[in-house]
Amino acid sequence: MKLLSAIVPCYNEEENVRDFYEEFRKNDAFFQEKGIAYEILYVDDGSTDATCAIVEELHNKDERVKLLSFTRNFGKEAAIFAGLQHAKGDYVATMDADLQDPPSLLPEMFSFIETGEYDSVATRRVNRKGEPPVRSFFARRFYHLINKMSRTEIVDGARDFRLMTRRFVDSVLEIGEYNRFSKGIFSWVGYKTKWLEFANVERKKGETKWSFWKLFVYAIDGIIAFSTTPLAIASFIGVLFCVLAFIFIIVIIVRAAIFGDPTSGWPSLVCIILLVSGVQLFCLGILGQYLSKTYLEVKKRPVYLLKDRVE
Ligand code: UDP
Ligand code: MG
């Protein structure tokens, strides 16, 4: 009998974990027919509410429900990583607890894996219904930008909802980096991926855990993790300014030789100094981003720490 593991990262999802379980169980008949057993692996990302207690309660009734509990909030990426490390399944699915990744899609996803042609079935939402327009706008710009900058394809609207084969998961686990950007990592490992599209589902209960600022930082992290183009841009700006400076020098020398040298350059000088120092700081900032990521990588701190494990 083959085993399917569903990884569900949870951060203060007390209102959703039970609903998720109920919803997931609606696929029972399908899994039974296919001869597949499953485990639901909730990864508690340092919740401060009753999430853990409810999962333990579910576990006491149904042994297929399992729990990994972090010592504090390490972020969704860490939760997905922990889940992948502990999942025992021949097939592994990652899905959100808030039912925005509908478990009812699993049978269709499985039908593609079953053919043996694909090693991962990924999902993308075709619209962003119910999301604040500002957030949608910046999300679109982000995907446009990162795809221009990175050779790894990052699909617009891609969710972290994915069904993978064991060898795909093992490949993902070989990437031991600290700054994890799953959307990029899943694409980077290769294999053949089938994309399924679905209309956006709004969060059932509770609040989104991603503020605009948190998403912005996540976007920058994604770009830094999958592209070195910003560094190239910094060098390019440097060269551009040197060329401009040379042209100005020649113009000024020629002008002074022909018309003399009236000293009236104070305002323009201030503007130039401000501009150039601004550009320098900007480029230094880009450099700093890469340096800080390197610093975090070399420290080799664990991606997460486990407090509790219920199996
Ligand atoms: N999540 C997590 N750790 C965090 C933030 C979120 O494990 O620090 C989980 C959250 O519980 C949910 C999933 O990641 O299951 C997606 O989060 P959310 O629904 O808040 O994000 P959105 O769907 O709004 O992008
Ligand atoms: Mg959500």
PDB file of all heavy atoms in Angstrom, residues 6 17 20 116-118 125-126 142 249 260-261 305 308:
ATOM      1  N   ALA A   6       0.277  14.550   3.760  1.00  0.00           N
ATOM      2  CA  ALA A   6      -0.143  15.934   3.520  1.00  0.00           C
ATOM      3  C   ALA A   6       0.507  16.807   4.580  1.00  0.00           C
ATOM      4  O   ALA A   6       0.332  16.589   5.772  1.00  0.00           O
ATOM      5  CB  ALA A   6      -1.652  16.050   3.579  1.00  0.00           C
ATOM      6  N   VAL A  17      -7.875  24.107  11.713  1.00  0.00           N
ATOM      7  CA  VAL A  17      -7.309  22.754  11.635  1.00  0.00           C
ATOM      8  C   VAL A  17      -8.371  21.657  11.603  1.00  0.00           C
ATOM      9  O   VAL A  17      -8.243  20.680  10.868  1.00  0.00           O
ATOM     10  CB  VAL A  17      -6.274  22.462  12.764  1.00  0.00           C
ATOM     11  CG1 VAL A  17      -4.962  23.111  12.445  1.00  0.00           C
ATOM     12  CG2 VAL A  17      -6.770  22.874  14.107  1.00  0.00           C
ATOM     13  N   PHE A  20     -10.109  21.679   8.253  1.00  0.00           N
ATOM     14  CA  PHE A  20      -9.224  21.116   7.233  1.00  0.00           C
ATOM     15  C   PHE A  20      -9.298  19.596   7.252  1.00  0.00           C
ATOM     16  O   PHE A  20      -9.423  18.947   6.215  1.00  0.00           O
ATOM     17  CB  PHE A  20      -7.774  21.575   7.452  1.00  0.00           C
ATOM     18  CG  PHE A  20      -6.820  20.997   6.448  1.00  0.00           C
ATOM     19  CD1 PHE A  20      -6.557  21.660   5.264  1.00  0.00           C
ATOM     20  CD2 PHE A  20      -6.213  19.766   6.677  1.00  0.00           C
ATOM     21  CE1 PHE A  20      -5.705  21.107   4.315  1.00  0.00           C
ATOM     22  CE2 PHE A  20      -5.359  19.204   5.732  1.00  0.00           C
ATOM     23  CZ  PHE A  20      -5.103  19.880   4.549  1.00  0.00           C
ATOM     24  N   GLY A 116       2.639   8.546 -14.186  1.00  0.00           N
ATOM     25  CA  GLY A 116       4.082   8.324 -14.173  1.00  0.00           C
ATOM     26  C   GLY A 116       4.826   9.342 -15.028  1.00  0.00           C
ATOM     27  O   GLY A 116       6.051   9.380 -15.067  1.00  0.00           O
ATOM     28  N   GLU A 117       4.074  10.186 -15.706  1.00  0.00           N
ATOM     29  CA  GLU A 117       4.705  11.159 -16.604  1.00  0.00           C
ATOM     30  C   GLU A 117       5.239  12.362 -15.820  1.00  0.00           C
ATOM     31  O   GLU A 117       6.237  12.967 -16.192  1.00  0.00           O
ATOM     32  CB  GLU A 117       3.661  11.605 -17.630  1.00  0.00           C
ATOM     33  CG  GLU A 117       4.275  12.286 -18.836  1.00  0.00           C
ATOM     34  CD  GLU A 117       3.223  12.856 -19.764  1.00  0.00           C
ATOM     35  OE1 GLU A 117       2.061  12.399 -19.716  1.00  0.00           O
ATOM     36  OE2 GLU A 117       3.564  13.788 -20.518  1.00  0.00           O
ATOM     37  N   TYR A 118       4.541  12.685 -14.727  1.00  0.00           N
ATOM     38  CA  TYR A 118       4.915  13.871 -13.962  1.00  0.00           C
ATOM     39  C   TYR A 118       5.433  13.504 -12.572  1.00  0.00           C
ATOM     40  O   TYR A 118       4.974  12.526 -11.990  1.00  0.00           O
ATOM     41  CB  TYR A 118       3.708  14.804 -13.792  1.00  0.00           C
ATOM     42  CG  TYR A 118       3.137  15.278 -15.096  1.00  0.00           C
ATOM     43  CD1 TYR A 118       2.002  14.670 -15.636  1.00  0.00           C
ATOM     44  CD2 TYR A 118       3.721  16.330 -15.793  1.00  0.00           C
ATOM     45  CE1 TYR A 118       1.472  15.098 -16.848  1.00  0.00           C
ATOM     46  CE2 TYR A 118       3.202  16.763 -17.002  1.00  0.00           C
ATOM     47  CZ  TYR A 118       2.080  16.139 -17.523  1.00  0.00           C
ATOM     48  OH  TYR A 118       1.573  16.569 -18.705  1.00  0.00           O
ATOM     49  N   ARG A 125      -3.425  29.958  -9.042  1.00  0.00           N
ATOM     50  CA  ARG A 125      -4.765  30.545  -9.100  1.00  0.00           C
ATOM     51  C   ARG A 125      -4.786  31.515 -10.267  1.00  0.00           C
ATOM     52  O   ARG A 125      -3.836  32.242 -10.514  1.00  0.00           O
ATOM     53  CB  ARG A 125      -5.124  31.217  -7.781  1.00  0.00           C
ATOM     54  CG  ARG A 125      -4.010  32.041  -7.218  1.00  0.00           C
ATOM     55  CD  ARG A 125      -4.416  32.597  -5.890  1.00  0.00           C
ATOM     56  NE  ARG A 125      -3.321  33.413  -5.369  1.00  0.00           N
ATOM     57  CZ  ARG A 125      -3.404  34.116  -4.264  1.00  0.00           C
ATOM     58  NH1 ARG A 125      -4.511  34.105  -3.568  1.00  0.00           N
ATOM     59  NH2 ARG A 125      -2.395  34.830  -3.850  1.00  0.00           N
ATOM     60  N   VAL A 126      -5.908  31.478 -10.990  1.00  0.00           N
ATOM     61  CA  VAL A 126      -5.966  32.298 -12.204  1.00  0.00           C
ATOM     62  C   VAL A 126      -6.420  33.723 -11.911  1.00  0.00           C
ATOM     63  O   VAL A 126      -6.276  34.611 -12.730  1.00  0.00           O
ATOM     64  CB  VAL A 126      -6.892  31.667 -13.268  1.00  0.00           C
ATOM     65  CG1 VAL A 126      -6.189  30.522 -13.949  1.00  0.00           C
ATOM     66  CG2 VAL A 126      -8.192  31.199 -12.662  1.00  0.00           C
ATOM     67  N   PHE A 142       6.136  41.932  -8.880  1.00  0.00           N
ATOM     68  CA  PHE A 142       7.187  41.063  -8.345  1.00  0.00           C
ATOM     69  C   PHE A 142       7.475  39.903  -9.298  1.00  0.00           C
ATOM     70  O   PHE A 142       8.624  39.631  -9.638  1.00  0.00           O
ATOM     71  CB  PHE A 142       6.795  40.533  -6.965  1.00  0.00           C
ATOM     72  CG  PHE A 142       7.605  39.337  -6.544  1.00  0.00           C
ATOM     73  CD1 PHE A 142       8.934  39.469  -6.203  1.00  0.00           C
ATOM     74  CD2 PHE A 142       7.033  38.074  -6.513  1.00  0.00           C
ATOM     75  CE1 PHE A 142       9.695  38.367  -5.837  1.00  0.00           C
ATOM     76  CE2 PHE A 142       7.779  36.961  -6.154  1.00  0.00           C
ATOM     77  CZ  PHE A 142       9.114  37.117  -5.817  1.00  0.00           C
ATOM     78  N   ILE A 249      33.876  65.886 -18.124  1.00  0.00           N
ATOM     79  CA  ILE A 249      35.235  66.435 -17.973  1.00  0.00           C
ATOM     80  C   ILE A 249      35.690  67.062 -19.289  1.00  0.00           C
ATOM     81  O   ILE A 249      36.163  68.202 -19.332  1.00  0.00           O
ATOM     82  CB  ILE A 249      36.223  65.327 -17.540  1.00  0.00           C
ATOM     83  CG1 ILE A 249      35.942  64.927 -16.082  1.00  0.00           C
ATOM     84  CG2 ILE A 249      37.668  65.804 -17.667  1.00  0.00           C
ATOM     85  CD1 ILE A 249      36.676  63.678 -15.641  1.00  0.00           C
ATOM     86  N   GLY A 260      36.775  80.687 -21.237  1.00  0.00           N
ATOM     87  CA  GLY A 260      37.304  81.044 -19.914  1.00  0.00           C
ATOM     88  C   GLY A 260      36.612  80.192 -18.859  1.00  0.00           C
ATOM     89  O   GLY A 260      35.880  79.254 -19.186  1.00  0.00           O
ATOM     90  N   ASP A 261      36.798  80.549 -17.537  1.00  0.00           N
ATOM     91  CA  ASP A 261      36.247  79.680 -16.495  1.00  0.00           C
ATOM     92  C   ASP A 261      35.449  80.464 -15.461  1.00  0.00           C
ATOM     93  O   ASP A 261      35.912  80.731 -14.356  1.00  0.00           O
ATOM     94  CB  ASP A 261      37.416  78.935 -15.828  1.00  0.00           C
ATOM     95  CG  ASP A 261      36.896  77.844 -14.915  1.00  0.00           C
ATOM     96  OD1 ASP A 261      35.687  77.497 -15.008  1.00  0.00           O
ATOM     97  OD2 ASP A 261      37.689  77.334 -14.102  1.00  0.00           O
ATOM     98  N   LEU A 305      13.597  24.587  14.998  1.00  0.00           N
ATOM     99  CA  LEU A 305      13.846  23.724  16.157  1.00  0.00           C
ATOM    100  C   LEU A 305      12.529  23.090  16.587  1.00  0.00           C
ATOM    101  O   LEU A 305      11.508  23.773  16.686  1.00  0.00           O
ATOM    102  CB  LEU A 305      14.422  24.539  17.314  1.00  0.00           C
ATOM    103  CG  LEU A 305      15.871  25.019  17.146  1.00  0.00           C
ATOM    104  CD1 LEU A 305      16.253  25.942  18.296  1.00  0.00           C
ATOM    105  CD2 LEU A 305      16.835  23.842  17.081  1.00  0.00           C
ATOM    106  N   ASP A 308       8.182  19.519  20.042  1.00  0.00           N
ATOM    107  CA  ASP A 308       7.315  18.384  20.319  1.00  0.00           C
ATOM    108  C   ASP A 308       6.996  17.639  19.024  1.00  0.00           C
ATOM    109  O   ASP A 308       6.991  18.245  17.954  1.00  0.00           O
ATOM    110  CB  ASP A 308       6.009  18.919  20.930  1.00  0.00           C
ATOM    111  CG  ASP A 308       5.398  17.911  21.883  1.00  0.00           C
ATOM    112  OD1 ASP A 308       5.976  16.820  22.022  1.00  0.00           O
ATOM    113  OD2 ASP A 308       4.345  18.233  22.470  1.00  0.00           O
TER     114      ASP A 308
END
